[in-house]
Amino acid sequence: MDLDERWLPIVHSLRERELTIVSIQSRWRRQASPVWKNVADTDLMIEDAAPAFEFARIFASLDRQHGIAGILTDQDEVLAPVAEAARAAGIRFTDADAIAICRDKLRFRQFLSDASMNPRFCWIPKTADLREAVGKIGYPCVVKPVRGSGSRVCYPLYNDDHVQWYEEELAGLMPQLPLHMNWLLKGGLICEGWLEGPVVSAAVAATGLKVAVISCALHLKHDENPCTGFGSVSFDPARDDGLGQCAAMAERLVHELGLSFGLFDVEMILTEGGPKVLEVNARPMGGEMITALALRTQTDAYGFLVDLYCGTSVEMPLLLPDVATGIYKIVAKSAGVISESLDLDAIIGLLPAEVLLRNYRLCPATSVAPLEVLGRILVVGTDVQSQLVALDERTVAVGAAIGVELITATPSISSQLAPLARH
């Protein structure tokens, strides 16, 4: 449901298992990622922001005709109605009630039995109440929509001028939101105290019988908006330090929320006082994190996902010993236009050897927006940190070749990855 090009590697695993692929796409997703209509055995399109009963009708019809083995989506826009529809149609999927809690940051924070896992926070039902809420929490703080994930409309505020900027940003954004994004701002905003420390995410798999952390990553930042990720480096979840505490917290949260079936992405900040939870995404992690997991395991990570969501007995993926993966985002610093004479071979020649370039927007004469992700670079091996440092050092030259100034990591990648140093 609403998968994009990043999920194409899963096709091989589906074909190996002799499964029929039914692609269901919202109209907006079809326009952005039309490739699935050519890959799937059956292709369906629905209107944007379709209600749960529309999905339930489709699921029930497909199940009667062929039998549905499993449902997979990583899109927050459709996650809740898909879960409600699956429950109505009697098809196994992630619990709709647990998803409803995770998609609402206020409900999520109120649900947690251990309040010490939360940052200080308060709810902002209307934008007009923003200044009052910020006054309660104090500077610096973070403001974001109650609903949604992925750092959408999420910014740090350091002074009154930033509050005014955020108010103006929201006022300009709200009338422009497409139909499939309207749900984002319907629950108001949440204001949280700023937490110092690296962002850590854990992928937690739940089979119905077992819950286990299968991968962890420390995220990179940049100064343009430190609330948005800039890349990541994987690490062993079994560490016995603060990073290991993050993995343990992630598993505990999944149990507590009743997320008993699926693959989930738990995001935390490792503070000096221990990990604090940011959010739990009740669906597989986004970006290129699945591909990064596939590069780092001894097993077929995409096949694991297929078997998991089909309810087949699975073994948790085994990580390759002493091997890490790194992801580095190619992000536009400001609005611009990519060079008409763009030479992708020349761009690849500027990158360190043996990296994987995922190209999203690197096309000649393409207009790009500030902070738009133009592509991602994946590295794998025993010395990922050095490769990422080399990438960051070459970003200015890559931007010059693209024709658009790019963001670099701030502070340095070496200092950001210090928590990964061996003890």
Side-chain angles (χ1 to χ4, degrees), residues 381-413:
T382 57
D383 192 13
V384 165
Q385 178 167 327
S386 295
Q387 290 175 288
L388 290 174
V389 169
L391 274 173
D392 203 48
E393 290 173 346
R394 300 175 195 184
T395 295
V396 173
V398 171
I402 293 172
V404 174
E405 186 179 5
L406 302 177
I407 287 174
T408 56
T410 312
S412 71
I413 284 180

Side-chain angles (χ1 to χ4, degrees), residues 198-273:
V199 176
V200 175
S201 67
V204 186
T207 67
L209 298 173
K210 182 179 181 180
V211 172
V213 175
I214 61 172
S215 178
C216 286
L218 185 147
H219 291 255
L220 302 172
K221 298 180 181 180
H222 58 77
D223 273 352
E224 300 295 323
N225 181 3
C227 291
T228 60
F230 186 54
S232 63
V233 178
S234 63
F235 63 86
D236 185 352
R239 293 171 62 115
D240 60 357
D241 56 5
L243 294 169
Q245 292 174 24
C246 289
M249 174 183 277
E251 192 171 308
R252 170 186 169 188
L253 285 167
V254 166
H255 273 294
E256 188 172 330
L257 288 161
L259 291 166
S260 59
F261 183 72
L263 180 62
F264 314 115
D265 179 34
V266 183
E267 297 192 2
M268 301 148 282
I269 291 186
L270 180 56
T271 71
E272 288 187 356

Side-chain angles (χ1 to χ4, degrees), residues 8-142:
L8 286 176
I10 206 170
V11 171
H12 178 70
S13 299
L14 292 164
R15 298 300 185 204
E16 274 192 332
R17 288 156 177 78
E18 298 183 342
L19 292 169
T20 297
I21 303 172
V22 178
S23 173
I24 306 172
Q25 288 189 306
S26 305
R27 188 175 297 274
W28 75 272
R29 173 57 73 188
R30 169 62 56 81
Q31 293 171 349
S33 301
V35 66
W36 276 94
K37 69 180 181 181
N38 301 319
V39 173
D41 300 292
T42 300
D43 169 59
L44 303 171
M45 188 173 72
I46 59 173
E47 293 303 315
D48 296 345
F53 69 79
E54 178 68 10
F55 291 108
R57 181 186 64 79
I58 295 172
F59 292 165
S61 175
L62 289 170
D63 204 33
R64 282 194 303 270
Q65 295 176 56
H66 308 291
I68 290 180
I71 301 169
L72 181 63
T73 184
D74 71 335
Q75 290 298 313
D76 290 307
E77 288 82 1
V78 298
L79 187 59
V82 163
E84 293 165 13
R87 179 162 61 185
I91 299 164
R92 194 176 193 188
F93 191 66
T94 305
D95 181 69
D97 294 332
I99 286 174
I101 293 172
C102 293
R103 283 215 325 173
D104 187 305
K105 293 179 176 62
L106 180 62
R107 286 186 63 187
F108 171 67
R109 301 223 172 280
Q110 293 171 335
F111 176 86
L112 295 181
S113 60
D114 184 355
S116 68
M117 292 191 291
N118 282 324
R120 291 181 301 111
F121 70 94
C122 65
W123 179 45
I124 309 171
K126 303 185 300 295
T127 307
D129 301 325
L130 178 59
R131 291 179 182 273
E132 180 183 350
V134 170
K136 292 178 181 177
I137 300 299
Y139 296 120
C141 60
V142 176

Side-chain angles (χ1 to χ4, degrees), residues 348-371:
I348 293 172
L350 291 170
L351 305 177
E354 299 180 357
V355 300
L356 175 62
L357 172 62
R358 294 292 199 195
N359 181 3
Y360 308 147
R361 297 277 290 160
L362 295 177
C363 300
T366 300
S367 297
V368 301
L371 301 187

Side-chain angles (χ1 to χ4, degrees), residues 164-210:
Q164 181 177 341
W165 173 86
Y166 192 84
E167 290 173 335
E168 294 170 354
E169 181 77 2
L170 275 185
L173 176 67
M174 292 175 73
Q176 300 177 31
L177 277 181
L179 181 61
H180 70 274
M181 297 286 287
N182 280 349
W183 65 281
L184 263 181
L185 297 176
K186 287 185 176 179
L189 306 169
I190 194 166
C191 180
E192 299 178 347
W194 176 261
L195 297 174
E196 289 291 344
V199 176
V200 175
S201 67
V204 186
T207 67
L209 298 173
K210 182 179 181 180

Side-chain angles (χ1 to χ4, degrees), residues 259-311:
L259 291 166
S260 59
F261 183 72
L263 180 62
F264 314 115
D265 179 34
V266 183
E267 297 192 2
M268 301 148 282
I269 291 186
L270 180 56
T271 71
E272 288 187 356
K276 304 280 187 180
V277 62
L278 290 178
E279 60 188 25
V280 176
N281 300 307
R283 42 81 178 155
M285 53 277 203
E288 296 288 352
M289 297 294 284
I290 301 294
T291 302
L293 176 62
L295 291 171
R296 196 180 168 223
T297 61
Q298 300 182 39
T299 49
D300 174 12
Y302 285 99
F304 167 79
L305 268 177
V306 172
D307 292 338
L308 175 63
Y309 278 91
C310 288

Side-chain angles (χ1 to χ4, degrees), residues 145-157:
V146 165
R147 298 182 179 178
S149 61
S151 300
R152 286 166 167 162
V153 204
C154 175
Y155 290 94
L157 307 180

